[in-house]
Amino acid sequence: MVAPTFDVRESNRAVADGATRADIECLRYRLEVVAVSALDVVQSAGGWLYDRVMAGWEVTALLTHGCDTLPLRILGVQAADPKAGFPLTAAKSHSLAVSAEAFSADARVREQVLACLDDRLTEVALWGDGWPLGVNRTVTTAQHVLSSAARRFKGYALAAAGMPCGSVSHTETLLCDVATGRRWMQSWSGSTSTPTSR
């Protein structure tokens, strides 16, 4: 019997370390956000996004009208460059969040949202009014209870977007795909996000 041998030179460790970092990056949860403006994002979903970032998610926002991204950076959200093309791909995204205004304004956004609603592996969250009937049938309302840090940082982000406010609401209401709503109901009972009937 021959014992296996391993090459333990320093150069092999560097390669192994690099592969480990790449593996970790592949396993990281991603959330892609599409909205018209930073204010739209912060007002409707800023606390939820902040809590996701603090939980270790990589959150990237594409603003269709390009504007000051400071309010997003305050929440820990990265801003995608709108000139670099349309980066949304269902295969690499674990989660997609879209505003009604962005959905109405761009056919590519509509196409991506509808594809993701059909994909059980992608979590979809929406906000705003005016969603078409086809979308309304596949979503349910969910409330996210903001952490105290999320409320504070959302307040800072609102001020940076030119909307200072005295206090930030404890909850944000989002529409989520029915499958996600069921998962939240089963696994988040007593937690910070709960679905409600629509």
Side-chain angles (χ1 to χ4, degrees):
M1 179 175 189
V2 176
T5 60
F6 298 97
D7 189 353
V8 292
R9 289 179 296 184
E10 200 61 39
S11 63
N12 283 345
R13 275 195 206 128
V15 171
D17 287 347
T20 303
R21 280 190 290 277
D23 290 342
I24 289 170
E25 193 59 34
C26 284
L27 294 175
R28 191 168 184 196
Y29 285 111
R30 289 182 179 85
L31 170 58
E32 294 177 342
V33 180
V34 183
V36 173
S37 67
L39 181 59
D40 182 22
V41 174
V42 174
Q43 278 183 315
S44 301
W48 174 62
L49 296 176
Y50 176 86
D51 284 336
R52 284 277 172 115
V53 169
M54 291 302 104
W57 285 61
E58 179 183 315
V59 180
T60 305
L62 173 67
L63 303 176
T64 58
H65 291 354
C67 57
D68 182 17
T69 59
L70 175 61
L72 298 177
R73 293 192 313 258
I74 289 170
L75 299 174
V77 175
Q78 301 170 14
D81 181 4
K83 295 176 187 171
F86 204 68
L88 299 177
T89 56
K92 77 170 201 161
S93 180
H94 294 119
S95 200
L96 176 67
V98 178
S99 76
E101 285 184 73
F103 182 89
S104 298
D106 194 314
R108 295 171 299 176
V109 174
R110 288 192 292 277
E111 183 179 305
Q112 187 68 32
V113 168
L114 296 174
C116 288
L117 284 170
D118 287 337
D119 177 11
R120 292 178 176 248
L121 298 177
T122 304
E123 176 189 54
V124 179
L126 310 169
W127 70 84
D129 296 322
W131 292 98
L133 187 58
V135 172
N136 277 342
R137 288 184 182 160
T138 59
V139 296
T140 186
T141 304
Q143 292 229 323
H144 175 74
V145 179
L146 280 61
S147 67
S148 58
R151 288 195 316 272
R152 182 168 299 254
F153 278 88
K154 180 176 178 175
Y156 295 151
L158 284 169
M163 277 207 60
C165 60
S167 66
V168 173
S169 174
H170 290 272
T171 61
E172 291 172 341
T173 302
L174 301 167
L175 301 174
C176 64
D177 57 287
V178 174
T180 300
R182 285 189 195 123
R183 284 194 303 269
W184 279 4
M185 193 172 292
Q186 293 167 354
S187 64
W188 291 79
S189 59
S191 183
T192 59
S193 295
T194 55
T196 58
S197 61
R198 181 161 167 79

